Amino acid sequence: MAVAGGLQLSAPSHGGQGHVLLSSTKSTLFAGAPLSFSFSTSESFSRKNLVVFARKLSGLEEAMRIKRERESRQLAPKIGRRPPLRRGRVSPQLPVPDHIPRPPYVGSSMLPEIASEHQVPGSEGIADMRAACELAARVLESAGKLVRPSITTNEIDKAVHQMIIDAGAYPSPLGYGGFPKSVCTSVNECMCHGIPDSRQLQSGDIINIDVTVYLNGYHGDTSKTFLCGDVSERIQRLVKVTEECLEKGIAVCKDGASFKKIGKRISEHAEKYGYGVVERFVGHGVGTVFHSEPLILHHRNDQSGSMVEGQTFTIEPILTMGSLECKTWPDNWTTLTADGSPAAQFEHTILITRTGAEILTTC
């Protein structure tokens, strides 16, 4: 956003010999326009001082841009804003054929603890891991094609469930800590863990579909936010930037890289657009165990530890257009932004290699 009128900052002159003039033309200083510098030599104002001064101004420019963008969103008219998300009717969970192997947690309503061991499938296990991740990606792609106005999230759950059991796999969310469905469907302000129900999608909605399958003893975990019908440009940008954040987080991964680089890179990109990165929900190790260490923080952090070749884990940032605070429904799963602002999420399971990271959840 441009300021009204140009901005000039001058350093005090010394004996009339030297000064620095930083000028912005056409009222665009805080809209990303380059700054122009003019200076003359001075014993008391060195070029080094100028560089320090310019860096400080650059930081101020970025901070002000983010502040102004947030304020503009807060002051934007609320005309046409959707009513808050309401829970629909939740149908009974779907059956799984007896011949399909179940994860160990099925049959217990207790939420499993996060396993302390990191997941390193090994040369033999990685083939099964690839198969599980590829299936999850195929199911997610097919589920996304179902997204349209008037379809219910319950119908999406039925389709996902059938695709998974037809492949001889188990839908990992079903029965995990008592979760009653085979997929998570998180609409609009729902950050994550939405339970499929009878609510129909409407044009302008966004929906994150989170698919995890258990195949040959391994879990493959992935999610994507889809657009339903005519979605506003503002919300489309949120979705696009969230996917870019995932890509940038993956790009810093390789053997020996520190885990905290992921959150730093994601936060840097999100903040350029004035979005917040949710801290409460994290990525995790995945393999024979659904959720294990390491926990992957998507915000700036001082997390210790480094990645190891052969390790598998998820990265799954959630970005919001408003508050980072959240509230959870009485079902103990569905979690919404506290202020009702939209949220978007993307997720991949990756394998750490010597020189980078391989995305396993592709098809």
Side-chain angles (χ1 to χ4, degrees):
M1 178 182 293
V3 297
L7 176 67
Q8 292 186 337
L9 300 177
S10 298
S13 61
H14 299 273
Q17 294 184 358
H19 74 277
V20 180
L21 176 65
L22 288 78
S23 64
S24 167
T25 60
K26 299 182 181 179
S27 303
T28 54
L29 176 62
F30 295 110
L35 297 172
S36 62
F37 299 84
S38 62
F39 60 91
S40 60
T41 58
S42 168
E43 294 180 358
S44 59
F45 201 96
S46 66
R47 184 180 296 270
K48 181 178 179 181
N49 289 337
L50 172 61
V51 171
V52 172
F53 185 66
R55 285 177 179 170
K56 288 182 178 180
L57 184 63
S58 178
L60 172 62
E61 177 182 348
E62 179 67 9
M64 288 296 294
R65 190 191 63 76
I66 292 171
K67 180 175 181 291
R68 289 171 184 273
E69 187 156 354
R70 283 193 178 277
E71 288 175 346
S72 69
R73 288 197 179 98
Q74 293 171 358
L75 296 174
K78 303 299 183 181
I79 298 174
R81 181 170 180 173
R82 293 194 177 283
L85 193 65
R86 302 295 184 193
R87 181 172 181 173
R89 182 180 59 84
V90 178
S91 60
Q93 70 179 48
L94 299 170
V96 177
D98 292 339
H99 71 274
I100 294 178
R102 272 82 164 151
Y105 53 77
V106 174
S108 171
S109 60
M110 298 292 293
L111 190 67
E113 293 185 3
I114 302 296
S116 59
E117 66 270 17
H118 291 205
Q119 304 293 292
V120 182
S123 57
E124 294 184 3
I126 195 59
D128 289 330
M129 184 79 178
R130 288 184 197 279
C133 288
E134 182 182 347
L135 174 60
R138 288 204 315 268
V139 171
L140 179 61
E141 183 178 26
S142 296
K145 293 177 181 178
L146 300 175
V147 173
R148 65 181 186 276
S150 80
I151 194 171
T152 68
T153 51
N154 193 54
E155 289 174 296
I156 294 174
D157 176 73
K158 285 182 179 179
V160 166
H161 181 89
Q162 194 63 47
M163 284 187 279
I164 293 173
I165 64 173
D166 284 349
Y170 185 90
S172 302
L174 186 62
Y176 181 84
F179 192 83
K181 291 293 184 176
S182 299
V183 68
C184 296
T185 53
S186 303
V187 178
N188 296 339
E189 70 265 35
C190 184
M191 289 181 173
C192 61
H193 302 158
I195 297 175
D197 59 24
S198 62
R199 180 190 181 276
Q200 292 183 325
L201 294 183
Q202 303 171 41
S203 181
D205 283 348
I206 57 174
I207 176 173
N208 177 271
I209 301 177
D210 192 336
V211 173
T212 312
V213 307
Y214 182 69
L215 179 67
N216 298 326
Y218 284 84
H219 297 271
D221 192 0
T222 185
S223 85
K224 181 176 181 179
T225 298
F226 297 93
L227 309 178
C228 181
D230 185 16
V231 177
S232 71
E233 290 185 5
R234 290 175 65 242
I235 296 181
Q236 284 188 49
R237 184 172 68 165
L238 170 70
V239 173
K240 180 176 182 291
V241 172
T242 305
E243 185 171 22
E244 291 170 352
C245 282
L246 172 60
E247 293 167 352
K248 290 182 180 297
I250 293 173
V252 303
C253 295
K254 65 178 181 178
D255 181 46
S258 61
F259 289 113
K260 64 184 178 182
K261 285 186 175 181
I262 298 173
K264 180 176 184 294
R265 183 63 62 85
I266 289 172
S267 295
E268 286 174 346
H269 191 62
E271 289 165 1
K272 288 180 182 178
Y273 298 88
Y275 301 135
V277 180
V278 173
E279 299 182 9
R280 179 175 175 182
F281 298 101
V282 299
H284 53 86
V286 64
T288 56
V289 177
F290 194 175
H291 296 108
S292 79
E293 297 282 351
L295 299 182
I296 306 300
L297 308 182
H298 304 115
H299 59 283
R300 284 190 175 84
N301 64 88
D302 294 319
Q303 182 182 17
S304 62
S306 299
M307 304 168 206
V308 177
E309 183 177 2
Q311 194 172 45
T312 52
F313 56 82
T314 70
I315 302 178
E316 43 190 299
I318 303 173
L319 270 59
T320 76
M321 295 179 72
S323 174
L324 299 180
E325 300 300 318
C326 59
K327 57 184 179 182
T328 302
W329 283 356
D331 61 27
N332 292 323
W333 287 105
T334 308
T335 303
L336 315 179
T337 57
D339 61 357
S341 60
Q345 181 182 32
F346 284 80
E347 174 186 14
H348 273 308
T349 296
I350 66 172
L351 166 68
I352 298 302
T353 68
R354 183 176 60 84
T355 58
E358 177 186 350
I359 299 173
L360 297 179
T361 40
T362 59
C363 59

